[in-house]
């Protein structure tokens, strides 16, 4: 995939309390078609790159399926 064909999305994940939570959220997002995790930590916002028709709804569904909440910046 060409990096020019992707767009970044930054958001906050609510409810993560440990490294295992970070791992679960990362795994859920990485399994989502068109979503590539760029940064995900306990201490700040998460950043993913979206491509292939992926959108905020796909990100929200993945995060919620992992048991967490999601807040977008706008």
């Amino acid at each position: 995939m060409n990096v020019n064909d992707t767009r970044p999305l930054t958001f906050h994940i609510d409810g993560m309390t440990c490294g295992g939570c970070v791992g679960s959220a990362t795994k859920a997002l990485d399994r989502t078609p068109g979503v590539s995790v760029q940064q995900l930590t306990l201490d700040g916002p998460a950043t993913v790159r979206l491509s292939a028709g992926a959108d905020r709804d796909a990100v929200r569904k993945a995060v919620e399926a992992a048991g967490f909440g999601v807040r977008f910046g706008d």
Side-chain angles (χ1 to χ4, degrees):
M1 170 186 345
N2 184 334
V3 72
N4 295 326
D5 297 335
T6 65
R7 62 194 185 284
L9 175 64
T10 300
F11 55 95
H12 293 272
I13 298 177
D14 296 325
M16 294 194 310
T17 59
C18 66
C21 295
V22 171
S24 294
T26 300
K27 186 182 293 185
L29 288 164
D30 276 340
R31 289 181 177 170
T32 304
V35 177
S36 174
V37 175
Q38 301 298 295
Q39 177 178 320
L40 200 160
T41 67
L42 286 174
D43 298 338
T47 301
V48 298
R49 294 198 73 80
L50 302 176
S51 65
D55 59 15
R56 287 181 179 201
D57 190 46
V59 168
R60 179 181 305 280
K61 286 178 182 178
V63 172
E64 289 176 351
F68 307 105
V70 63
R71 289 181 290 124
F72 296 107
D74 52 10

